[in-house]
Amino acid sequence: MEFKASLCDAACALIDSGNQGFSTAKKVISALESNPHEVPRISPRTFAANRYFEQAMRSASRGPAAIVRLAAALQRLEPSLQWYRRSGDCHAESSFFEGHANALIIGPTGLVSLPNIVVGVSLLAPHIAYPAHQHPPEELYFVLSPGQWRQNDGDWWEPGVGGVVYNPSNVQHAMRSGAWPLLAIWCLLSPASPSVGGRR
């Protein structure tokens, strides 16, 4: 699977030993090298926010070489993905439901399944806030377009295209887009990841 190889390359190229998520990146690479399991064939599905996918991809095309390759692999998979919306979040702004979409790439409703890891993608339309949430698995985001992240009550920061965001286990975290759509690939690591990652 080309996407798996591109994600491994991105993890190697973008995360060095001084990065807080370095040990998690090594776990991601190890998990991605596992043999995939077949999953039931899924029906592709999109939402209103998906119209911003190509705009976000233009940002990725100007990023580091590893991000360019990862984005190209994602773009080839995108027509096959079953996008979904996070629901039931009483803290979300009213625009959030229509302004976002998520999809699993590796996971129980993705294209393949691997032990101990779920990989997906999140897309936010411009000026949309993804509400603060938390989960037991630690997580890495690979950032493909402009956007901001925050952990707990800390300040918002922008990692930039090609940036990597590490969320430790159970840390509260949120993200938001500005004038440009936000597109990011995320990896959740845990034996229990599928139940978390499937509807993050």
Side-chain angles (χ1 to χ4, degrees), residues 17 21 35 69 77 106 114-115 119 123 138 148 152 159-160 172-173 180:
S17 58
N35 292 325
R69 291 191 295 270
L77 293 179
I106 298 172
L114 293 172
V119 178
L123 175 63
E138 53 189 329
Q148 293 186 323
N152 296 321
Q172 191 175 69
H173 54 282
W180 205 260

Side-chain angles (χ1 to χ4, degrees), residues 59-174:
S59 287
S61 70
R62 297 189 289 269
I67 285 293
V68 172
R69 291 191 295 270
L70 180 58
L74 173 63
Q75 190 164 31
R76 285 187 277 275
L77 293 179
E78 194 273 336
S80 302
L81 298 178
Q82 187 179 88
W83 293 82
Y84 65 91
R85 291 167 169 160
R86 180 184 175 96
S87 60
D89 198 316
C90 62
H91 302 294
E93 297 177 3
S94 59
S95 57
F96 171 67
F97 186 72
E98 291 293 331
H100 84 286
N102 300 313
L104 280 188
I105 301 168
I106 298 172
T109 59
L111 303 177
V112 297
S113 182
L114 293 172
N116 303 333
I117 190 169
V118 169
V119 178
V121 57
S122 290
L123 175 63
L124 299 181
H127 305 295
I128 296 294
Y130 202 108
H133 59 287
Q134 61 193 94
H135 39 66
E138 53 189 329
E139 178 179 44
L140 286 178
Y141 282 99
F142 294 87
V143 183
L144 304 183
S145 69
Q148 293 186 323
W149 270 257
R150 182 171 70 176
Q151 293 177 343
N152 296 321
D153 295 322
D155 294 333
W156 288 95
W157 85 97
E158 183 156 350
V161 177
V164 178
V165 177
Y166 169 64
N167 291 320
S169 174
N170 286 317
V171 71
Q172 191 175 69
H173 54 282

